[in-house]
Amino acid sequence: IALVEGPPGIGKTRLSEVFAAGVERAGGLVLIGRSREGEGVPALWLWAQVLRRLAAIEAGADALRELAGAAPELRALLPADWAEAPGAGARAEPGEVAPEQGRFLLFDAIVRALARASRQRPLLLVLEDLQWAGSASLRLLEHLAFEAGELPILVLATVREEARDDAHPLERALPRLRQQPSCQAIPLRGFSRREVAALLERIIGRPPPPDLTSELFARTEGVPLFLREAIRLLS
């Protein structure tokens, strides 16, 4: 698990896009899920996007057989043709399992589906904006971290660096993820003054005036998004 952390505009998404493109060129399978901010977002929306993309590939149907009997909250988010497939409709009768156990079994089925897919091709899961992921999605990520073991699965998750309340679901999840030996944090920081000067030189074709470099560095703090917009306005 790689946790790419940094403030808005620092390049978390760009880094994940470049890395994912490299994985695809090398023959790996890339599945992407993006968290959404706002009310009404389904509990497992982040992972539903991952499973939808898995269902769209040729080997995906075989992997998704692990989800036969999936909970209604997930079944409603999966493609209609999968929900109608043989075996997909079988599920435990109400009252057979406690809600907590049912959630655990659902998580385990999703991990098994991803494990089966990874045996065909190494698997990269790109999970964008964990700060907006719901508690259920974060618990599933924890479950994957505990159960993935030696499987050829890499999770690259982007996390916005910002102040959060102690009760925020991510404040519970991050310490648990960081405790895993396979978890690595990758903090992104703004460009240094020297890097700002190098970027300017590349764009204008000659060494930039020192005053211009200093002004841009001071105003943007080296944040790539702000720096790019400032250069665009200056041009």
Side-chain angles (χ1 to χ4, degrees), residues 74 116 190:
L74 181 63
R116 179 176 288 196

Side-chain angles (χ1 to χ4, degrees), residues 7-18:
I10 204 68
K12 301 182 295 295
T13 295
R14 179 60 179 158
L15 176 61
S16 65
E17 289 173 346
V18 171

Side-chain angles (χ1 to χ4, degrees), residues 78-220:
L78 289 171
D81 54 351
W82 176 84
E84 296 167 1
R91 61 177 182 270
E93 292 298 326
E96 286 188 18
V97 295
E100 296 81 4
Q101 184 182 0
R103 176 60 61 88
F104 182 92
L105 294 175
L106 173 62
F107 289 175
D108 191 56
I110 293 173
V111 171
R112 289 201 312 271
L114 296 174
R116 179 176 288 196
S118 75
R119 295 187 187 105
Q120 303 295 322
R121 296 161 63 189
L123 179 59
L124 170 65
L125 302 177
V126 179
L127 306 179
E128 288 270 20
D129 291 315
L130 279 193
Q131 72 278 355
W132 294 331
S135 178
S137 287
L138 293 171
R139 293 293 295 274
L140 176 49
L141 178 56
E142 292 176 32
H143 189 95
L144 175 61
F146 292 138
E147 301 294 335
E150 299 300 318
L151 291 170
I153 298 176
L154 173 62
V155 178
L156 191 159
T158 66
V159 184
R160 179 177 292 185
E161 199 174 79
E162 60 186 2
R164 284 184 289 268
D165 188 270
D166 290 342
H168 193 285
L170 192 58
E171 292 304 297
R172 174 191 178 279
L174 284 179
R176 289 172 173 258
L177 294 172
R178 289 170 176 151
Q179 287 173 1
Q180 300 302 308
S182 60
C183 182
Q184 180 175 350
I186 304 176
L188 300 186
R189 297 293 178 259
F191 292 157
S192 66
R193 188 184 183 284
R194 179 178 297 179
E195 290 168 330
V196 171
L199 178 62
L200 275 172
E201 183 172 355
R202 181 183 299 179
I203 291 172
I204 67 179
R206 58 185 174 84
D211 290 348
L212 176 59
T213 299
S214 297
E215 184 72 9
L216 283 175
F217 178 69
R219 286 180 176 269
T220 67

